[in-house]
Amino acid sequence: MLRRRALAACTATVAVGALALAGLTGSASADPSPSLSPAAADQLSPGLLKAMQRDLGLTADQAAQRIGNESRAAAVAAGLRRSLGTGFAGARLSGDAAELTVATTDAADTGRISGAGARAVVVEHSLAELDSAKAALDRVALRKSPQDVPVWYVDVRTNRVVVQAARADAADTFLAAAGVARDLVTVTRSAGQPRTFADLRGGDAYYMNGSGRCSIGFPVKRGTQGGFVSAGHCGTPGVSTSGYNQQAQGSFQGSTFPGRDYSWVATNTGWTPRPLVNGYGNGDVTVTGSTEALEGSSVCRSGSTTGWHCGTVQQRNTSVTYQEGTVSGVTRTNVCAEPGDSGGSFISGSQAQGVTSGGSGNCSQGGTTYFQPLNPALQAYGLTLVTSGTPTDPPTDPTDPPTNPGGTWAAGTSYAAGDVVTYGSASYRCLQGHQAQPGWTPPNVPALWQAL
């Protein structure tokens, strides 16, 4: 594992390394207007907009417009995913206008997709079929990481599982062991060798046992206990942490790596979790939720080595093999990162996306970076993301939900601001986009739901 030592200068070049969200709910007839309201535009972080201008070649107005386009497109895509059912084959965005393309295996669905304002394409394989094939590869990799096969992911654009391999025979061996049909797969040549980058505001530095350095992902709470999520490879349960100021901070309570790459650290009362991501001189970004961005969406990263950098979401559900083992379910991006950025925040607009896991290249020459999506980490450890609407006394551990008294609310569903659900005999309006977790019932989470 490549760790960042305290106060050590970064090298000029960095080998591939680990640098260590669920779409908006909306109906297929969701409002296709792409503009942000003036009030919403005013709430965007100037630092985030500035980084998007630098890295994506946009003006401030274009960056704000793009975020609005992406948010609305995500709502439409979520509605179509529900209505298309088993025929759904993925959704993606292209360009600053966030033009939405939705794939289906059933030609009869094209009218419904077009009617929602999206471009329809008919493909051979459903997203569920591709995800199943990739899951088979993941199971093989968890038993023994494949040799010379660093990365694999589901690519909705090509309607294939893409396997990157140094040698064709290595890919063939991997596919055969998993029993995955070759017609589902595209094999590409890659000489990359990913390995981990490890050198209460997202993006801030913290130190493990006083030496190695990583970055905070997002502040969280578990009941009344404050803390943060970060990368799993940054530390194991019991490892103590100190903050950016070298003051005692807390300790790792849970950590998963390899397999996944997430962890959570409980902090002492001297540290107050804030719904912020460090803008590194450009203004902090306020976190309002954790709705997963579509492929093709803009995304920005905050880390304690290189600060703010932006790019786009390329593929979700990617698997990558580091020296320590295979990590599955990460998201592939073209955002750069370097040692010490590990664990840091990935955010799209005001929506938390995940924590920096790994990648290749550096911020002088560019590269590829993978992030561990946030929502699975929250669910794994029973955490609540700290957002601008988080109450002083958050709900108790969501891993122990009460009996559902009936209604339309359901755990695992992605909700957008304005959605209305029923729970028992009462109705509630969603206040901020999120993916519902067990126990986050409407009457129990006033930060997310308003009784009607």
Side-chain angles (χ1 to χ4, degrees):
M1 180 181 298
L2 181 59
R3 291 186 179 274
R4 167 62 72 205
R5 294 296 176 183
L7 306 181
C10 67
T11 56
T13 59
V14 181
V16 184
L19 318 166
L21 282 198
L24 285 170
T25 294
S27 68
S29 59
D31 178 8
S33 171
S35 301
L36 279 175
S37 68
D42 289 343
Q43 294 174 4
L44 293 174
S45 161
L48 180 141
L49 296 175
K50 185 176 180 180
M52 290 178 67
Q53 293 174 66
R54 179 194 64 200
D55 294 342
L56 298 175
L58 305 174
T59 66
D61 288 343
Q62 288 171 336
Q65 183 76 7
R66 177 164 178 162
I67 292 172
N69 293 341
E70 292 169 351
S71 178
R72 293 181 182 274
V76 173
L80 285 170
R81 179 169 190 160
R82 290 195 303 273
S83 64
L84 297 180
T86 57
F88 180 76
R92 66 182 189 275
L93 301 180
S94 59
D96 296 336
E99 296 175 351
L100 176 62
T101 298
V102 175
T104 178
T105 59
D106 188 348
D109 289 333
T110 57
R112 185 183 308 177
I113 295 170
S114 299
R119 173 176 173 263
V121 294
V122 180
V123 296
E124 183 179 1
H125 307 293
S126 70
L127 184 60
E129 184 180 8
L130 296 177
D131 283 345
S132 178
K134 182 184 171 292
L137 295 172
D138 291 346
R139 287 191 292 271
V140 170
L142 287 175
R143 293 195 298 269
K144 183 178 181 180
S145 295
Q147 296 297 312
D148 295 322
V149 183
V151 176
W152 55 100
Y153 52 82
V154 172
D155 187 358
V156 299
R157 183 182 62 83
T158 62
N159 194 230
R160 292 289 187 275
V161 176
V162 175
V163 174
Q164 296 183 356
R167 308 184 331 272
D169 63 321
D172 291 339
T173 299
F174 188 32
L175 295 175
V180 172
R182 189 58 186 264
D183 64 348
L184 292 172
V185 177
T186 297
V187 176
T188 62
R189 182 175 176 80
S190 173
Q193 292 296 323
R195 63 174 190 254
T196 51
F197 286 178
D199 223 288
L200 274 170
R201 177 180 53 176
D204 280 353
Y206 71 94
Y207 298 87
M208 298 80 73
N209 286 337
S211 55
R213 171 166 60 86
C214 276
S215 301
I216 292 174
F218 293 95
V220 297
K221 286 192 174 182
R222 183 172 182 174
T224 59
Q225 173 64 58
F228 60 85
V229 292
S230 189
H233 74 262
C234 287
T236 56
V239 169
S240 64
T241 68
S242 55
Y244 64 90
N245 56 4
Q246 298 290 352
Q247 297 300 304
Q249 182 188 67
S251 63
F252 283 83
Q253 303 299 301
S255 179
T256 302
F257 180 80
R260 295 292 187 265
D261 195 4
Y262 47 60
S263 62
W264 92 278
V265 173
T267 56
N268 60 45
T269 55
W271 296 83
T272 302
R274 301 293 186 190
L276 300 173
V277 172
N278 190 339
Y280 283 95
N282 298 307
D284 292 341
V285 178
T286 299
V287 179
T288 64
S290 59
T291 299
E292 188 175 79
L294 293 176
E295 295 180 7
S297 296
S298 57
V299 68
C300 296
R301 178 196 56 72
S302 178
S304 59
T305 296
T306 60
W308 267 107
H309 287 277
C310 299
T312 57
V313 174
Q314 294 181 315
Q315 286 88 25
R316 296 198 301 270
N317 195 12
T318 296
S319 294
V320 57
T321 298
Y322 302 127
Q323 184 177 0
E324 298 80 9
T326 295
V327 174
S328 299
V330 294
T331 298
R332 186 172 180 260
T333 77
N334 59 4
V335 185
C336 71
E338 295 182 8
D341 289 329
S342 288
S345 324
F346 265 86
I347 189 165
S348 183
S350 64
Q351 298 296 309
Q353 297 299 307
V355 299
T356 307
S357 174
S360 59
N362 56 39
C363 288
S364 297
Q365 300 172 341
T368 297
T369 303
Y370 308 95
F371 68 79
Q372 164 68 57
L374 177 63
N375 287 323
L378 298 178
Q379 188 167 13
Y381 299 124
L383 306 171
T384 301
L385 176 67
V386 174
T387 69
S388 58
T390 300
T392 302
D393 295 316
T396 55
D397 188 345
T399 61
D400 186 22
T403 301
N404 191 330
T408 59
W409 179 90
T413 303
S414 295
Y415 293 106
D419 285 349
V420 175
V421 300
T422 57
Y423 187 82
S425 60
S427 296
Y428 298 84
R429 178 179 291 110
C430 181
L431 298 177
Q432 55 183 277
H434 67 285
Q435 183 180 38
Q437 306 296 326
W440 292 6
T441 58
N444 202 32
V445 195
L448 302 179
W449 296 98
Q450 178 184 40
L452 299 178

